[in-house]
Amino acid sequence: MTTSGGEPDRDELERLLKEAGSAFDPEGVEALIDGVLAAPVEVGTSWHALVADPMTPTLAGKLDALQAEKAQAYHNGLSPEDFDRLPRAERLERLRQELTSQGLDGFIVPRADEHQGEYVPTRGQRLAWLTGFTGSAGVAIVLRSQAALFVDGRYTLQAAAQADTQLFEIRHLIDEPPSRWIGTALTRGAVLGYDPWLHTPNDVERLHAAAEKAGASLRAVTENPLDLVWSGRPAAPIAPVVPHADRFAGESAHSKRARLGRALTEEGAAAAVLTMPESIAWLLNIRGGDVPHTPLPLSFAILRQDGSVTLFIDQRKLVPGLERHLGNAVTVMPPEGLGPALDTLAAEGGHIQADPATAACWVFDRLEAAGAKISRAADPCLLPKACKNPIEVDGTRAAHRRDGAALTRFLAWLAQEAPKGGLREIAASDRLEEIRRESQHFRDLSFPTISGAGSNGAIVHYRAMPESEKHLEPGTLYLLDSGAQYLDGTTDVTRTVAVGAPTEEMRDRFTRVLKGHIALAVARFPKGTTGTQLDAFARSALWQKGLDYDHGTGHGVGSYLGVHEGPQRISKGPNSQALLPGMIVSNEPGYYKTGAYGIRIENLVLVQPVEDAAEREMLGFETLTLAPIDRNLIDPSLLDQEEIAWLNAYHARVRETLTPLVDPETARWLANATQPIVTASPT
């Protein structure tokens, strides 16, 4: 829609906007579309409601035409074509030139945004723009004559394939962390820059110590040098922010605010600064769509003792009527109002609570500069959000029933199609998504599906691409890790399927993974037990053969929120958070043979009190996920009677629950897939 020859269209759009009672003019609509284009594609046409409600068909057509026109010229700097236009080497050189102009000898580029979340909007994909690496964890350090990209074991192969190893050394994020590399790579007197919005205080303390050890210094920048050289950097994403109904949330936002406000009073804090969008979404019973696969409205908030909240968010994202849902005790301000609000809080003199593990260092720097009394404490929403209420628990059970039916329909289809030899990874995952989208309350996938055939299954966080995908061939294993976001719950499930006849080694490894999965599923543990204490249950059968896996055994899961939710987890790494009733966590041991195959069995489980506990209060797990486990991969001789009893009972429950929810052909396949195992070796 240009001025030359396009003025009548602009005039018509302006007329239609006025007739619809819209607060936008044509220029405002174009700016809004810039944000829509920077949001996930799942936004679809839902953004129309931000322009006018109700929306007329004529105006909707004009909006769609304008969006399509702007989309043709849209470049975010991250596509293969964008890297052809501006190669990696030139991007790195431009950054180094900007570092020189700012008097810096180096700069740290984390895979993070201002909210320190798992999913980062396009605008925040600085690491991907610089290196081409698109994994969910990593950091680059650029010095004048060398640069390094740090990734963990999940992404070693991916980083080497996506980044230019002539420009960046690939380092292990855990075995050789950035702080250690800094200590040896920096020269005495060097100045290493960092963006305080992209690091937590905990991160910065480690970096400061490393720089000092090298005789160098760490400097916070006021303008991110990478942002300055990222020509055409995308706008902040704009996706509609909508109410999340109490019938799904199980508790009103008013009740949550009052409850947490009382907790602040008990802790002697006047207010808490909230920087995690998932906490704000939970607290205010709102959902958005600013990042992929997690219904988050990117925002900040301040919660006070009286339960009042100041929400810092782009008001263009709020659907009409949301102010009634938020209520008079919630004040909406633009994001740039956060700094002055922190200054005001500091001037009031009370203690201000902020989480040094999740909040940006910028927040603490601003508070300290204003003379605030800072209480460093965990985000007050973390535990209440993690411990699901009865409505949320019932909702997630219902979501898992529907999700299990969808996955079972897919597995029945896969059993017919895979042996033909023509099925590829992307087509398989696309088919599962099609089936899931038919389910009630479906909103999105909960993460990009991991669809790995053969050796690709050995890449823990594999993402099928046209240039890397494989056929599902007879004699191989197919690993499928997937999940969905429903209004009443979030799912995450992994199944490993044999295509044709598996080898004895495959069956041995699969059965050992299954033994670990069962050991965790049936575990009983006293109140106060952490996931770290339970992790070995899932690994013991593998350890007996000198085998192991490098990822954690379990992560927390939200309720129509993040598929990865803290503070609970099950892993080797130390974690002081006890497992509490109402927490949902994954149970996903695995085994991976590089270049050959991968195995993972994942169900979500709910922490529940054990009814018949004797002297101590005991907890256990209720398995939520419902889908058959491939019996063709099980070696019954490796299972004891109790393990077989668990598997048969689980399959009976899967069959009884899902049969009424699937078509007759799938039901017949399910009946065969869940037949009991009747043999076992003597114990």
Side-chain angles (χ1 to χ4, degrees), residues 42-70:
E42 286 76 19
V43 170
T45 61
S46 64
W47 65 275
H48 287 182
L50 303 177
V51 177
D53 187 26
M55 170 63 59
T56 66
T58 304
L59 178 55
K62 289 293 181 184
L63 296 178
D64 289 341
L66 181 56
Q67 182 183 12
E69 181 181 322
K70 291 181 72 68

Side-chain angles (χ1 to χ4, degrees), residues 207-449:
L207 295 169
H208 262 300
E212 289 179 1
K213 181 179 179 182
S217 61
L218 196 68
R219 179 195 298 171
V221 300
T222 55
E223 286 189 287
N224 189 308
L226 190 145
D227 293 353
L228 295 175
V229 300
W230 185 348
S231 177
R233 183 168 169 243
I238 294 178
V241 178
V242 300
H244 185 53
D246 290 359
R247 67 188 179 99
F248 297 122
E251 182 182 7
S252 70
H254 172 79
S255 173
K256 292 177 181 179
R257 290 190 287 101
R259 178 157 59 100
L260 268 62
R262 290 192 296 270
L264 289 179
T265 302
E266 294 170 1
E267 295 169 8
V273 183
L274 307 179
T275 64
M276 297 177 66
E278 50 264 63
S279 291
I280 298 166
W282 174 87
L283 178 65
L284 300 180
N285 285 349
I286 57 177
R287 298 294 188 268
D290 287 334
V291 297
H293 308 304
T294 307
L296 299 182
L298 295 182
S299 54
F300 300 95
I302 295 174
L303 169 69
R304 292 177 177 267
Q305 286 183 346
D306 62 1
S308 65
V309 168
T310 304
L311 173 63
F312 301 90
I313 193 168
D314 185 340
Q315 297 187 43
R316 295 178 299 171
K317 296 193 289 191
L318 308 184
V319 298
L322 188 68
E323 66 279 0
R324 294 192 297 274
H325 168 79
L326 294 174
N328 294 332
V330 178
T331 303
V332 179
M333 295 186 66
E336 54 268 25
L338 177 62
L342 295 181
D343 297 341
T344 300
L345 271 182
E348 292 172 358
H351 283 84
I352 304 167
Q353 183 174 310
D355 188 345
T358 62
C361 193
W362 183 93
V363 172
F364 291 84
D365 292 347
R366 183 79 181 225
L367 288 171
E368 289 172 0
K373 301 173 184 175
I374 303 175
S375 295
R376 297 191 171 209
D379 181 324
C381 299
L382 280 180
L383 272 182
K385 175 166 59 71
C387 298
K388 310 299 183 285
N389 63 50
I391 298 297
E392 289 174 315
V393 168
D394 287 344
T396 200
R397 289 184 181 123
H400 277 85
R401 288 192 292 271
R402 296 192 305 275
D403 197 67
L407 179 57
T408 298
R409 284 176 56 196
F410 168 81
L411 291 173
W413 172 85
L414 185 72
Q416 286 189 329
E417 294 299 317
K420 298 177 183 178
L423 187 61
R424 299 175 72 92
E425 295 168 349
I426 294 176
S429 61
D430 285 350
R431 177 58 182 150
L432 175 56
E433 181 176 348
E434 289 173 4
I435 297 173
R436 274 200 169 108
R437 286 186 177 276
E438 300 172 7
S439 301
Q440 183 186 27
H441 298 322
F442 176 91
R443 287 298 179 268
D444 192 4
L445 301 182
S446 54
F447 57 94
T449 298

Side-chain angles (χ1 to χ4, degrees), residues 619-662:
L619 303 174
F621 294 122
E622 171 194 337
T623 295
L624 298 169
T625 305
L626 297 167
I629 296 169
D630 191 354
R631 293 166 65 257
N632 296 321
L633 277 167
I634 297 172
D635 180 352
S637 69
L638 295 177
L639 299 177
D640 62 31
Q641 292 293 346
E642 291 183 354
E643 292 166 337
I644 289 177
W646 181 91
L647 181 63
N648 289 342
Y650 176 72
H651 272 159
R653 179 176 160 229
V654 169
R655 182 173 60 251
E656 293 164 6
T657 303
L658 299 186
T659 295
L661 305 179
V662 299

Side-chain angles (χ1 to χ4, degrees), residues 463-485:
R463 178 79 178 273
M465 303 294 285
E467 62 271 17
S468 66
E469 69 168 335
K470 293 179 177 290
H471 283 94
L472 279 63
E473 298 178 348
T476 65
L477 299 185
Y478 174 56
L479 188 151
L480 182 70
D481 188 349
S482 66
Q485 294 282 10

